[in-house]
Amino acid sequence: MEINHLRTILSNISYPISINNHMQISDVNILTVCYAKATTFQCRCEEQYHWPCHLCSSLDKCDDKTESNCRCISAFPPVGVYCQPLSDIIICPSPTSPNDSASVAPTDLTTSTTITPALTDPTFLATTDFNTATATAIGANSTPVASTTMNTITSALSTLVTNSMTDVKTTAVTTTPTTVANASSIATTNVIATTPISPPTTTSVTSQNTTVHSTMPEATPTLAPTTDLTETTKTITTTKVTPASSIPTTNTTATSTLSTSGITSTTVAGFDVEMLVRLDKEYTSELNDAESSTYKELESRINSVLDEQYKRITGFQDVSVKAFREGSIITEYIVQTTQVIPDEIAETNEKVPEAMRPIAPVLGSVTAFYNSPTSISYPDLTYTGNTMTLLCGLPKNIDVGRISDSEWTFRGREIKNGIRMKITTSDRKSMLKVNNVILADTGLYQCTLRGRVMNFLQKGFVKRVAIKQAPIVRLQSKVNVKCKEGQKEQLQCCVQAPYKVKWFLANTVLSSDVTEDRESYCIKHDYQLGSCSGPQQREICFTCQVDEAKDYELTTAMIIFRDGFICNNAEYGTGRAGDISSIGCDKGQEGSKTATCQQTREEIGVWKLLEDTCIITEIKELLIDSQDLIVEELPEFVANLNKTVQEESKEIVNSSATISAVVDILGTIATVSIDSEVSKSIMENVLETVDVIIGDDARESWAVLNANESRNASSELLGSLETLSSGLVGEFVIKIQHILLTRTMFDNNFMADLNSSIEIYIPDTNHNNVLITTIALFTLNNVMPARYSSFDTSLFTDISNDNVNDNAINAAVVLVQINATIQNVTLRYDKLDNSLSVNPQCVFWNYARFHNLGAWDNDGCTFVSDINNTVTCSCNHLTSFSILMATEIPPELKHALDIITYVGVGISLASLVICLIIEGYVWKAITRNSTAFMRHVSIVNTALSLLIADICFIIAAAIAKNPLENPGEDYDIPVGTCSTTTFFMHFFYLALFFWMLVSGLLLFYRTVMVFSHMSRSTMLAIGFSLGYGCPLIIAVITVAVTASENGYIRREEVCWLNWTETKALLSLVIPALTIVFINILIVIVVLFKMLRRGVGDTTQADEKSTMVVIARCVIILTPLFGLTWSLGVGTMVSSTNEGIHIAFAFFSSLQGFFILVFGTLFDSKIRSILSRRLPTSSTGSSSTKSTSGGISSLSGLNWISRLRGRRYIYHLSEAANSGNSGASESFVNI
């Protein structure tokens, strides 16, 4: 259906179709239709066309023809072979001797050249016709030969026919002029002539788009041209021939299975030398119309003068006006000649101005140039990243005088010697070397050789097929394997489609499993390890080679060792300490990632990234293309950059190397734009590009870039924006997601509110019509490092330098450019993080700091106020501003907190030990009923949990390195030891709270459920399940959930649960605060019950005392513990609040002391037992002696009684036969 539709369209077209004044399409025919048939293809000729006999005999026919000719073949024909008209198809001959006549089937290469041999007039006729192939060769023992389009104009004594792949010999002969009979009604057309054929020549002609590539050995004086013929024309040309001229003779032998006789033809070379002369005469619109009388009159007068001047030069054929152009009157004319003698041309051109004076004075001199019909030569195929050489040079028989220099252009723009493109000019040729070729290097190149007399112009169109994306092979180049006999190690190699690869071991191809899709082709080979005996380490190299491009290959070095490994992950594999592993990049990227296996303090290894050079291929090509960027290319280039960045944004933000490349490109754009105007469209494309790379998703990539000690990409990015903003023209506003640019004009005063987050006020400038540009970058805090001018560069790390000085950028960065001198500007910033309030600093970015690395500086800027989370600054200059604020408490306060913590923990540990000793000492006397038993079980386990947790805290502090005590050292914590310590801290801190919950539930049980009874064993089971079972479950789940992301603990400075990445700390905070809330509810319920009916109504006096102690303990300790950990959360939320830090350090370090006082010493029974059993100054023998004196004399306990305001102490004595122990027991009545 589609081919019929195409036939209909072509048949309805009215021919001929004019392309320009010199060219028209006379007809278009469909010759061949190819289509898929089962597992092969069939190519069928249209009606009145057949395949040549040699194809029918060599390929399978798919029609019923029995003779040697056929209309259908079951395959694609060879390149350049097409169906032929029936009138041209002859029966395939048998082999004959060279002297016999034979016929060769003609090959239609879409064009033909036919020259009539009967000549009686001094003109020759050359006819170029597309889609025809008729030629008659006249000569003794001649063989009809298939014709080939050469799209040339030649003068000949006999027909010159050249077939595909011909060997051509050329010798010079002298001939006499010939004439053509009946030469009337032949239109005269100025067509650029071809040069004579130089030996040796190999010509390959490819159709259907009439593309011809010709190559010549470089050894010949004539440069090897690559000719692209894309015009379909039917032109009749007449050219005058100068008598007694030197005419080349061409000896042509067609390449065929048959021998052909030598065909001799004589040709005369014709050259069109184009000239320009400027007449001092007014240009009128009629001169744009070749049919107007004004045009014809001026043309006739000028032709007359020119003919008189140039007819004396050697080889002159004709001269005629080509066109008139505006600029006074620029006259273009063409001198046709068979020979160029520089001195003659120069002498004649000097006489032209004087000869033209009667018509009009001549401005300047005559400009002459020769436009070569042959193409600039270039390689048939060049892979990206390689070097492509283009050659431009004079033919042997053209002399333009001494070559002074050369000029190359690409797509109409001049090429200058630069980083990537180098121009070399010699005597008769010029060479353009394009290094690091990219796909964008395809297009039209033009070379101009400037001679003393005239210029030589040559063009060449480098097509897309001539530059191909190089294969990008992806594999793991270094593999470390622990030897295990018989183990299979998988090797994978990938390349982008349509390339394919193979694994080689030495010269042996390895069998592989293939996985391919539309984007990539991957192979996997399982290599089986052999015997592990022998050396401790050996290396095997595997090569992954691209099939279509053998020069492209990568090697995988497999290092097999017998030692144990300490590093192991899915990305880099296994490795010993110091081993290096290098892996490939993701799809669409080039480069590699290299990591080394580093051993931590507890013999556990981690792969640490050394280098990441993975860059997105399209961005890499733009980076290469930018190396020779010029001003004229800026609009198109920045638009292309923006488009690419938007399309690849997700991959770009995660690639530090790609972001660095984009910054480099923007730097080149800024450099090229210096001293030129930057339009709104250019700046908008730039800002949209910047908006992608400064987003929140790019924060980690910028952290890596800012750690580079030798360069600072963020500083370069900000500098590029400043440079571009200084070249802006006009007034406009550009608003993008994270960026706001405003360019406006003001008189005297200026005030602006940028997106309600930044205010700028410039008072009393005493200037009018002042242009000001402001660029607010609201997420540049992700990009710029927070280092201050006092930053110690020795503190650079390989991960980030962002917060090494405990500062943070706490506002948007605003860039201000103005075309006047300003000495007073006020800026007001809204804080990005309202929790930061310590040490605000008004700063600007100083590019010169740290050997041009850059840092924030406050020189000339003063902090004014910090009110309602708005910081006001005043500066005496303009540049890029922001504010810095401390992210942590000052170092001197940290030192004070360390002292509080260490002293408090020491007191806490001593208190907990004393608590446990006292509990053990009075255990039997105070655990007579189940309520008292569970109350003391809870307090003992609470104290024990806190004691172990504090011990783990001390161990963790010893493992980690304190920045105050170890400045400039590696603060990374040992993962294994620190994880274990953190787990036990987490578990026992949770146990502390759950045992407090047990105490609360016991109080609730004995107060609310008065008549129920529960055995001690049941209570113990419930208590230990809650007290240790629940914390264990929570701690294990936390490890399981966060371990896969390596986010269980913090990575540096302290051994503690992670907060920033995984929020693992919530697994402690949430259960603790939940228990505090539950216990508070229990206390409220218990107090309500006690107030309604009194505790003593239903309970014995002994249990009443115990319940009172439990209530007091829960009421006091629960809020204390809850307050402590609430303050801990506060230190994370408000990390710079000094009061919260001091309160947390105080309460957290004295928790053990609180348990001793409120859980043990405030128990009147314990005090009573201690006062009775401890030795006193008064003595007596009665076992029922009052203990009041003992209590009064126990100085360690009296202060507690006085503190509580005791007025009365009651004593209760129980007889030995009361069923309890004979010990007297006293308690304090509240």
Side-chain angles (χ1 to χ4, degrees):
M1 296 297 292
E2 291 78 2
I3 193 64
N4 291 333
H5 183 61
L6 179 60
R7 289 191 183 100
T8 302
I9 293 175
L10 294 177
S11 63
N12 291 332
I13 295 177
S14 178
Y15 298 100
I17 301 173
S18 295
I19 303 300
N20 52 41
N21 292 334
H22 309 290
M23 188 183 306
Q24 66 182 12
I25 299 174
S26 60
D27 195 11
V28 178
N29 293 321
I30 297 176
L31 304 182
T32 313
V33 178
C34 295
Y35 51 89
K37 185 72 171 179
T39 59
T40 183
F41 288 89
Q42 290 187 358
C43 292
R44 183 177 295 276
C45 298
E46 293 288 275
E47 293 290 341
Q48 303 304 315
Y49 290 90
H50 276 202
W51 289 110
C53 62
H54 70 279
L55 279 188
C56 297
S57 60
S58 60
L59 300 175
D60 293 335
K61 294 186 291 186
C62 50
D63 54 12
D64 296 331
K65 294 284 184 180
T66 57
E67 61 271 14
S68 56
N69 301 103
C70 58
R71 281 188 59 198
C72 181
I73 57 175
S74 298
F76 279 118
V79 175
V81 179
Y82 299 92
C83 295
Q84 305 295 312
L86 284 176
S87 59
D88 295 338
I89 296 294
I90 57 178
I91 300 174
C92 292
S94 301
T96 59
S97 64
N99 293 326
D100 295 334
S101 296
S103 62
V104 178
T107 302
D108 182 7
L109 297 176
T110 75
T111 61
S112 67
T113 303
T114 304
I115 304 172
T116 307
L119 306 171
T120 58
D121 186 65
T123 62
F124 76 91
L125 177 63
T127 303
T128 302
D129 191 3
F130 280 70
N131 294 330
T132 63
T134 57
T136 305
I138 300 177
N141 300 323
S142 63
T143 301
V145 181
S147 63
T148 301
T149 296
M150 298 304 294
N151 200 20
T152 61
I153 303 170
T154 59
S155 59
L157 292 178
S158 62
T159 302
L160 170 65
V161 183
T162 307
N163 194 9
S164 175
M165 298 301 294
T166 61
D167 295 326
V168 181
K169 285 186 176 181
T170 304
T171 57
V173 298
T174 302
T175 184
T176 56
T178 57
T179 58
V180 180
N182 301 322
S184 60
S185 70
I186 299 177
T188 301
T189 308
N190 293 326
V191 180
I192 300 173
T194 61
T195 61
I197 302 173
S198 300
T201 303
T202 301
T203 304
S204 63
V205 184
T206 305
S207 294
Q208 189 149 339
N209 60 354
T210 65
T211 299
V212 180
H213 292 284
S214 303
T215 58
M216 296 181 181
E218 193 173 354
T220 61
T222 303
L223 289 180
T226 299
T227 305
D228 297 329
L229 305 180
T230 57
E231 301 173 348
T232 304
T233 64
K234 184 175 183 179
T235 308
I236 299 177
T237 306
T238 63
T239 305
K240 296 178 181 179
V241 180
T242 303
S245 60
S246 178
I247 305 174
T249 300
T250 303
N251 212 2
T252 304
T253 303
T255 301
S256 175
T257 56
L258 305 177
S259 300
T260 58
S261 63
I263 302 174
T264 302
S265 65
T266 306
T267 63
V268 174
F271 304 105
D272 285 358
V273 180
E274 300 186 26
M275 307 281 191
L276 292 177
V277 64
R278 185 189 296 268
L279 303 180
D280 189 9
K281 188 179 179 70
E282 183 180 357
Y283 182 86
T284 61
S285 58
E286 287 83 357
L287 294 177
N288 196 37
D289 183 8
E291 301 298 325
S292 67
S293 58
T294 304
Y295 184 99
K296 290 181 178 179
E297 179 185 356
L298 183 59
E299 178 188 32
S300 175
R301 294 180 63 190
I302 293 177
N303 279 339
S304 173
V305 172
L306 295 176
D307 189 73
E308 183 66 25
Q309 296 299 316
Y310 287 98
K311 68 181 181 180
R312 300 180 181 87
I313 66 173
T314 303
F316 174 77
Q317 293 179 329
D318 191 18
V319 61
S320 60
V321 172
K322 178 182 178 182
F324 298 110
R325 288 192 285 115
E326 191 173 359
S328 295
I329 297 180
I330 300 176
T331 304
E332 300 178 12
Y333 61 95
I334 297 176
V335 176
Q336 293 179 336
T337 180
T338 60
Q339 190 174 357
V340 175
I341 300 177
D343 292 338
E344 287 185 356
I345 297 292
E347 182 181 355
T348 304
N349 286 345
E350 290 176 358
K351 296 178 180 178
V352 168
E354 184 64 29
M356 297 285 286
R357 186 175 293 277
I359 301 174
V362 172
L363 301 176
S365 58
V366 177
T367 302
F369 60 92
Y370 174 70
N371 200 337
S372 174
T374 60
S375 171
I376 293 170
S377 67
Y378 59 88
D380 291 334
L381 176 62
T382 304
Y383 289 104
T384 56
N386 292 323
T387 299
M388 178 176 66
T389 302
L390 295 90
L391 289 174
C392 156
L394 293 166
K396 183 177 180 180
N397 53 349
I398 292 182
D399 188 358
V400 298
R402 186 179 60 84
I403 301 296
S404 59
D405 67 346
S406 64
E407 177 185 282
W408 286 80
T409 62
F410 175 56
R411 298 178 183 172
R413 296 191 175 110
E414 182 181 357
I415 299 173
K416 296 183 179 180
N417 270 321
I419 299 174
R420 203 166 66 90
M421 296 189 177
K422 305 288 184 181
I423 300 173
T424 304
T425 303
S426 60
D427 184 27
R428 295 179 58 84
K429 65 182 179 180
S430 179
M431 179 176 67
L432 173 64
K433 183 176 288 187
V434 183
N435 298 313
N436 214 347
V437 169
I438 58 176
L439 296 177
D441 288 330
T442 57
L444 179 63
Y445 290 83
Q446 178 174 302
C447 164
T448 301
L449 298 178
R450 294 191 177 93
R452 181 174 62 84
V453 178
M454 69 176 72
N455 296 335
F456 174 81
L457 276 67
Q458 194 171 24
K459 298 178 181 179
F461 193 94
V462 178
K463 296 187 176 181
R464 185 62 182 267
V465 294
I467 299 179
K468 193 173 182 180
Q469 178 67 55
I472 302 173
V473 181
R474 295 179 286 117
L475 49 72
Q476 187 171 355
S477 60
K478 290 187 178 180
V479 181
N480 302 283
V481 179
K482 177 176 172 56
C483 188
K484 183 178 180 181
E485 188 171 346
Q487 175 180 311
K488 290 185 177 181
E489 189 69 24
Q490 188 174 85
L491 300 172
Q492 177 171 297
C493 178
C494 296
V495 69
Q496 82 270 30
Y499 296 105
K500 296 183 179 180
V501 289
K502 288 187 178 72
W503 275 115
F504 287 84
L505 180 58
N507 295 322
T508 304
V509 179
L510 303 178
S511 60
S512 304
D513 295 329
V514 177
T515 303
E516 62 180 320
D517 53 34
R518 296 178 61 183
E519 298 180 357
S520 61
Y521 179 92
C522 295
I523 58 173
K524 295 178 181 180
H525 171 72
D526 291 327
Y527 179 76
Q528 186 170 359
L529 302 181
S531 173
C532 294
S533 60
Q536 287 289 330
Q537 175 179 309
R538 68 180 189 272
E539 182 176 317
I540 303 176
C541 291
F542 302 86
T543 301
C544 182
Q545 188 180 86
V546 180
D547 289 348
E548 298 85 351
K550 304 299 183 183
D551 293 337
Y552 287 87
E553 60 182 33
L554 283 182
T555 301
T556 292
M558 180 183 289
I559 300 171
I560 304 172
F561 54 87
R562 294 165 57 188
D563 305 333
F565 58 84
I566 60 173
C567 293
N568 186 16
N569 69 17
E571 189 174 17
Y572 293 100
T574 59
R576 300 160 297 171
D579 281 348
I580 293 177
S581 179
S582 183
I583 63 175
C585 305
D586 297 332
K587 291 180 182 178
Q589 298 183 15
E590 299 180 39
S592 63
K593 295 179 182 179
T594 303
T596 182
C597 178
Q598 290 191 348
Q599 183 175 340
T600 59
R601 280 174 255 180
E602 66 280 0
E603 303 298 323
I604 296 177
V606 292
W607 286 109
K608 188 173 185 179
L609 185 65
L610 292 179
E611 186 180 29
D612 182 358
T613 61
C614 292
I615 179 174
I616 295 174
T617 302
E618 292 187 31
I619 297 297
K620 179 184 176 182
E621 293 211 345
L622 287 172
L623 177 63
I624 296 171
D625 195 18
S626 69
Q627 293 175 354
D628 296 302
L629 188 64
I630 59 176
V631 173
E632 293 78 10
E633 297 173 342
L634 275 179
E636 180 183 355
F637 183 83
V638 294
N640 191 21
L641 172 65
N642 180 32
K643 180 180 179 227
T644 304
V645 169
Q646 299 299 328
E647 292 174 350
E648 305 289 340
S649 59
K650 292 183 179 178
E651 289 74 21
I652 289 175
V653 297
N654 293 315
S655 171
S656 58
T658 304
I659 290 179
S660 179
V662 173
V663 172
D664 289 339
I665 294 172
L666 293 173
T668 302
I669 292 172
T671 302
V672 172
S673 69
I674 294 176
D675 300 327
S676 66
E677 295 182 348
V678 179
S679 65
K680 178 184 177 182
S681 62
I682 290 177
M683 197 65 186
E684 191 166 15
N685 280 308
V686 168
L687 293 182
E688 287 178 358
T689 300
V690 173
D691 189 64
V692 171
I693 63 175
I694 67 172
D696 294 336
D697 294 340
R699 184 188 296 270
E700 291 187 7
S701 296
W702 279 108
V704 175
L705 291 174
N706 287 332
N708 192 320
E709 299 181 44
S710 60
R711 64 164 292 190
N712 195 334
S714 56
S715 182
E716 294 172 13
L717 173 63
L718 190 59
S720 298
L721 291 178
E722 287 196 15
T723 302
L724 287 166
S725 64
S726 64
L728 291 173
V729 290
E731 298 182 52
F732 51 84
V733 175
I734 300 175
K735 187 173 183 180
I736 309 173
Q737 184 177 3
H738 304 125
I739 304 174
L740 175 63
L741 181 147
T742 304
R743 180 172 170 82
T744 187
M745 185 177 291
F746 71 91
D747 295 329
N748 194 29
N749 299 323
F750 175 77
M751 177 177 284
D753 184 352
L754 306 179
N755 208 30
S756 302
S757 62
I758 303 174
E759 291 183 9
I760 301 177
Y761 176 59
I762 303 176
D764 303 326
T765 63
N766 297 321
H767 297 290
N768 293 326
N769 299 324
V770 179
L771 280 169
I772 183 171
T773 302
T774 61
I775 305 178
L777 302 127
F778 301 106
T779 58
L780 207 65
N781 60 303
N782 295 326
V783 174
M784 303 302 296
R787 60 173 173 265
Y788 191 51
S789 56
S790 59
F791 169 65
D792 183 3
T793 54
S794 65
L795 299 180
F796 268 117
T797 70
D798 56 350
I799 298 175
S800 173
N801 64 10
D802 191 52
N803 287 323
V804 291
N805 55 352
D806 298 334
N807 283 329
I809 302 171
N810 201 27
V813 176
V814 58
L815 185 158
V816 185
Q817 286 278 358
I818 196 168
N819 62 344
T821 302
I822 300 298
Q823 296 182 344
N824 184 15
V825 57
T826 301
L827 301 106
R828 293 185 178 88
Y829 304 92
D830 286 350
K831 294 181 184 178
L832 297 176
D833 185 354
N834 294 335
S835 67
L836 300 182
S837 60
V838 177
N839 193 25
Q841 302 172 73
C842 298
V843 293
F844 71 96
W845 186 256
N846 189 337
Y847 296 94
R849 287 286 185 179
F850 307 127
H851 305 289
N852 299 320
L853 196 62
W856 294 104
D857 199 343
N858 65 353
D859 187 19
C861 291
T862 306
F863 168 74
V864 178
S865 64
D866 182 0
I867 302 173
N868 296 328
N869 295 318
T870 299
V871 177
T872 303
C873 300
S874 178
C875 297
N876 60 14
H877 57 84
L878 294 179
T879 180
S880 299
F881 300 100
S882 190
I883 57 172
L884 291 180
M885 303 193 76
T887 58
E888 298 184 9
I889 55 179
E892 56 273 14
L893 181 58
K894 284 185 177 181
H895 185 67
L897 291 177
D898 286 345
I899 294 175
I900 294 173
T901 301
Y902 293 146
V903 173
V905 169
I907 295 173
S908 182
L909 287 173
S911 300
L912 292 171
V913 172
I914 294 171
C915 176
L916 292 175
I917 292 174
I918 292 174
E919 287 290 336
Y921 182 72
V922 300
W923 182 261
K924 289 184 179 180
I926 60 176
T927 56
R928 296 177 181 177
N929 58 66
S930 59
T931 303
F933 174 77
M934 281 305 300
R935 171 261 191 284
H936 286 283
V937 168
S938 297
I939 204 69
V940 166
N941 282 282
T942 300
L944 184 64
S945 297
L946 184 58
L947 177 63
I948 298 175
D950 283 347
I951 293 173
C952 291
F953 173 82
I954 294 173
I955 296 173
I959 293 173
K961 288 190 176 182
N962 190 323
L964 291 177
E965 299 173 357
N966 306 276
E969 294 189 19
D970 182 10
Y971 303 133
D972 290 347
I973 50 90
V975 177
T977 306
C978 194
S979 297
T980 303
T981 307
T982 301
F983 174 83
F984 283 109
M985 274 198 296
H986 185 203
F987 171 72
F988 283 109
Y989 276 131
L990 283 173
L992 165 71
F993 282 96
F994 274 96
W995 278 110
M996 288 300 301
L997 177 62
V998 170
S999 297
L1001 292 175
L1002 177 64
L1003 177 64
F1004 181 81
Y1005 168 70
R1006 297 307 298 163
T1007 304
V1008 178
M1009 306 177 70
V1010 179
F1011 299 102
S1012 62
H1013 177 73
M1014 190 181 299
S1015 65
R1016 287 190 178 187
S1017 59
T1018 304
M1019 288 184 177
L1020 279 176
I1022 295 174
F1024 276 90
S1025 296
L1026 282 175
Y1028 293 119
C1030 291
L1032 182 63
I1033 293 172
I1034 294 173
V1036 171
I1037 290 176
T1038 303
V1039 172
V1041 170
T1042 59
S1044 60
E1045 304 176 17
N1046 294 323
Y1048 179 58
I1049 59 174
R1050 291 180 56 171
R1051 298 177 182 176
E1052 55 184 14
E1053 296 189 9
V1054 293
C1055 287
W1056 190 224
L1057 294 169
N1058 190 298
W1059 172 255
T1060 54
E1061 285 86 9
T1062 59
K1063 301 293 186 293
L1065 185 57
L1066 292 177
S1067 62
L1068 172 64
V1069 173
I1070 292 176
L1073 297 183
T1074 302
I1075 290 172
V1076 170
F1077 177 73
I1078 293 173
N1079 277 3
I1080 291 174
L1081 290 180
I1082 290 174
V1083 168
I1084 294 173
V1085 172
V1086 168
L1087 289 176
F1088 179 75
K1089 289 287 186 180
M1090 292 174 67
L1091 291 174
R1092 289 191 61 186
R1093 57 176 175 78
V1095 179
D1097 295 343
T1098 57
T1099 59
Q1100 298 178 0
D1102 196 27
E1103 286 200 11
K1104 175 184 175 182
S1105 173
T1106 303
M1107 291 175 60
V1108 169
V1109 173
I1110 296 174
R1112 183 174 59 241
C1113 185
V1114 171
I1115 291 171
I1116 296 174
L1117 291 182
T1118 296
L1120 275 177
F1121 290 163
L1123 174 64
T1124 299
W1125 291 101
S1126 297
L1127 291 171
V1129 175
T1131 61
M1132 294 180 293
V1133 175
S1134 181
S1135 59
T1136 60
N1137 192 304
E1138 298 178 9
I1140 293 178
H1141 277 277
I1142 294 173
F1144 176 67
F1146 176 78
F1147 284 106
S1148 63
S1149 61
L1150 292 177
Q1151 288 181 101
F1153 178 74
F1154 296 149
I1155 292 175
L1156 173 64
V1157 174
F1158 299 110
T1160 301
L1161 297 183
F1162 263 36
D1163 189 336
S1164 59
K1165 286 186 179 182
I1166 294 177
R1167 293 201 314 275
S1168 175
I1169 294 172
L1170 290 176
S1171 63
R1172 189 172 31 174
R1173 293 187 177 182
L1174 290 175
T1176 63
S1177 57
S1178 58
T1179 59
S1181 59
S1182 174
S1183 62
T1184 61
K1185 181 178 68 172
S1186 172
T1187 63
S1188 60
I1191 296 176
S1192 299
S1193 64
L1194 191 59
S1195 59
L1197 302 176
N1198 280 341
W1199 69 274
I1200 299 177
S1201 299
R1202 289 195 297 270
L1203 180 65
R1204 297 173 62 203
R1206 308 301 304 185
R1207 288 177 178 267
Y1208 306 101
I1209 299 177
Y1210 297 91
H1211 308 281
L1212 178 63
S1213 299
E1214 296 184 0
N1217 58 357
S1218 64
N1220 296 321
S1221 64
S1224 298
E1225 190 174 310
S1226 44
F1227 65 92
V1228 181
N1229 199 7
I1230 295 180

